[in-house]
């Protein structure tokens, strides 16, 4: 049996608290996404992605692929790209759903801020 001094025990306790906080954050993110997706009156697929968002998405996808190769990280794939677009639509949907953004003539469109927020959210989940 190995005995730990008080400093080592405190470090382990701190690490456990951090891991617990991350798990709670991921759990909240998953619940948020599930709630956005579950609204029967609104499909996340009905959020349009305009040309400027798609051009930005393509540019960011290429940059992330190159960065992952340079840094020796896991390869960025089309699945990641699909997830980013989905998160962008969910982000836009959440802004409309809570009344931060209004829709015009039942036309729903994501904005660049939605893409940027989706990328931040995705980075936090990795």
């Amino acid at each position: 049996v190995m005995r730990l001094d008080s400093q080592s025990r405190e470090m382990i306790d701190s690490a456990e608290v951090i891991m617990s906080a991350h798990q709670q954050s991921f759990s909240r993110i998953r619940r948020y996404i599930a709630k956005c997706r579950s609204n029967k009156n609104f499909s996340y697929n009905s959020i349009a992605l305009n040309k400027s968002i798609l051009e930005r998405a393509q540019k960011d996808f290429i940059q992330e692929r190159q960065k992952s190769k340079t840094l020796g990280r896991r390869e960025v794939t089309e699945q990641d790209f699909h997830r980013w677009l989905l998160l962008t639509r969910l982000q836009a949907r959440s802004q409309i759903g809570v009344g931060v953004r209004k829709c015009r003539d039942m036309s729903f469109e994501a904005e660049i801020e939605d893409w940027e927020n989706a990328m931040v959210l995705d980075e936090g989940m990795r």
Side-chain angles (χ1 to χ4, degrees):
V1 175
M2 186 173 129
R3 292 200 172 268
L4 298 174
D5 61 21
S6 62
Q7 186 178 10
S8 297
R9 187 69 213 153
E10 286 176 19
M11 288 175 62
I12 291 171
D13 290 344
S14 294
E16 289 173 350
V17 167
I18 290 169
M19 290 297 293
S20 175
H22 282 280
Q23 289 171 344
Q24 290 173 0
S25 293
F26 293 142
S27 180
R28 283 196 314 260
I29 290 168
R30 286 185 191 103
R31 283 194 309 271
Y32 169 76
I33 291 171
K35 187 174 181 181
C36 287
R37 291 178 109 173
S38 68
N39 187 331
K40 304 285 187 251
N41 299 322
F42 191 92
S43 167
Y44 60 88
N45 286 327
S46 64
I47 299 286
L49 300 175
N50 63 37
K51 185 178 178 180
S52 65
I53 289 177
L54 293 174
E55 287 172 351
R56 170 77 180 272
Q58 182 180 17
K59 184 184 92 169
D60 288 352
F61 176 67
I62 291 167
Q63 283 180 339
E64 289 298 317
R65 283 184 74 115
Q66 291 170 344
K67 191 186 332 178
S68 72
K69 289 178 184 177
T70 302
L71 299 176
R73 291 194 278 180
R74 179 188 66 78
E75 182 182 4
V76 174
T77 66
E78 292 81 14
Q79 192 173 25
D80 296 307
F81 187 69
H82 173 74
R83 184 179 61 251
W84 299 339
L85 295 176
L86 175 63
L87 287 172
T88 299
R89 285 186 170 105
L90 290 171
Q91 172 65 27
R93 195 279 176 235
S94 72
Q95 296 300 300
I96 294 164
V98 296
V100 171
R101 193 176 304 148
K102 303 292 182 204
C103 64
R104 294 182 279 293
D105 303 321
M106 294 306 290
S107 172
F108 303 100
E109 191 170 289
E111 297 178 4
I112 288 291
E113 295 82 24
D114 298 318
W115 170 260
E116 292 167 349
N117 289 333
M119 295 299 286
V120 169
L121 178 62
D122 189 71
E123 183 65 33
M125 292 190 305
R126 282 193 253 165

